[in-house]
């Protein structure tokens, strides 16, 4: 396979397929529409995770503090009524089982990533604030990506407030977590970055990028999906080659919008497998 071959294959895919592949701290080996904006789906949760850990490091929040588990949130649209999440649209009953009680922020952040819980995400955003998430994107050097609202904030969505990512920005954010460094200085301390990577290594939704790797290969990653969208971004740690970044964003009719394998998952797995085969040449 050559990168031109992979591009030619992806040219036949309906919609937009974006990608960024390369080593850490090096120019990318292969990109494809890497600056094209896509609806973020759950990939924005990585920036929320980083915002939480940065707030904890600065002493603003305590990761082990027990916080109320509620299902009512302020809209990002000024003057709009508060909004709630729908349980059937979530991926984690464990968080819903605690509604009316409390949970540690650290646990909520873990569930936000490993099970992609929407409720946990909105709870964490409620404590860190959207400006702190914006600061993470800026610190990572993101040029386009924005987290403008919580999940299921339909009033904000109707007002044009959205969440967007690019493959290049996701790679920059994952790279900053893996190395602890950005062009503007450290994203977080080495201890905090290692803790965040551990959460991303524990990701349980493995039907796209991870499915294209040999069993047992370590990948710290986050994916996201809604109907018409399937993304995956992560840091792969081969045993026989240096770590590398891979971020693939797709806006395509192949994506069914469920947390199960579909044609979009197979596409991401195929790309991941092709990159893995070229890992020594990255």
């Amino acid at each position: 396979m050559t990168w031109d071959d992979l591009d030619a294959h992806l040219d036949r895919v309906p919609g937009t397929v974006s990608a960024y592949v390369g080593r850490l701290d090096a120019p990318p080996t292969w990109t494809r529409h890497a600056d094209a904006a896509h609806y973020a789906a759950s990939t924005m949760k990585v920036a929320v995770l980083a915002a939480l850990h940065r707030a904890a490091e600065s002493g603003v929040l305590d990761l082990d503090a027990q916080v109320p588990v509620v299902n009512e949130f302020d809209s990002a649209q000024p003057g709009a009524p508060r909004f709630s999440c729908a349980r059937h649209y979530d991926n984690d009953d464990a968080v819903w089982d605690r509604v009316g009680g409390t949970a540690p922020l650290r646990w909520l952040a873990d569930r936000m990533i490993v099970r992609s819980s929407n409720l946990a995400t909105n709870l964490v955003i409620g404590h860190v604030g959207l400006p702190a998430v914006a600061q993470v994107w800026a610190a990572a050097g993101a040029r386009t990506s924005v987290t403008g609202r919580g999940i299921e904030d339909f009033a904000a969505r109707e007002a044009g407030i959205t969440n967007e990512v690019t493959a290049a920005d996701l790679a920059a954010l994952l790279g900053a977590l893996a190395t602890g460094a950005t062009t503007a200085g450290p994203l977080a301390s080495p201890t905090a970055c290692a803790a965040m990577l551990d959460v991303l290594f524990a990701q349980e939704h493995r039907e796209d990028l991870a499915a294209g790797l040999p069993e047992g290969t370590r990948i710290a990653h986050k994916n996201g999906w809604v109907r018409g969208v399937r993304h995956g971004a992560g840091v792969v740690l081969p045993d026989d080659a240096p770590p590398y970044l891979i971020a693939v964003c797709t806006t395509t009719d192949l994506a069914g919008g469920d947390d199960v394998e579909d044609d979009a998952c197979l596409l991401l797995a195929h790309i991941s497998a092709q990159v893995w085969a070229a890992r020594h040449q990255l």
Side-chain angles (χ1 to χ4, degrees), residues 119-269:
L119 180 58
T121 302
N122 285 341
L123 287 163
V124 174
I125 289 174
H127 287 275
V128 301
L130 290 169
V133 183
Q135 289 169 10
V136 166
W137 285 119
R143 291 181 290 180
T144 302
S145 298
V146 60
T147 303
R149 60 174 173 83
I151 298 172
E152 298 180 71
D153 183 353
F154 299 127
R157 184 185 70 181
E158 293 303 313
I161 302 171
T162 191
N163 301 323
E164 288 187 339
V165 293
T166 70
D169 289 348
L170 285 170
L173 178 56
L174 269 295
L177 292 181
T179 64
T182 72
T183 56
L187 182 70
S189 72
T191 299
C193 286
M196 288 186 271
L197 285 176
D198 283 344
V199 176
L200 292 163
F201 279 124
Q203 166 71 259
E204 295 179 9
H205 293 284
R206 303 179 63 83
E207 58 276 349
D208 42 58
L209 292 183
L213 301 172
E215 187 173 353
T217 302
R218 298 188 75 206
I219 176 172
H221 71 119
K222 183 71 190 80
N223 40 22
W225 58 91
V226 296
R227 181 169 295 278
V229 164
R230 169 63 71 159
H231 308 323
V235 183
V236 181
L237 279 71
D239 290 333
D240 60 350
Y244 64 85
L245 292 162
I246 178 170
V248 182
C249 298
T250 70
T251 299
T252 173
D253 291 341
L254 299 179
D258 298 317
D259 60 336
V260 295
E261 183 181 278
D262 59 14
D263 286 342
C265 290
L266 295 175
L267 177 66
L268 265 67

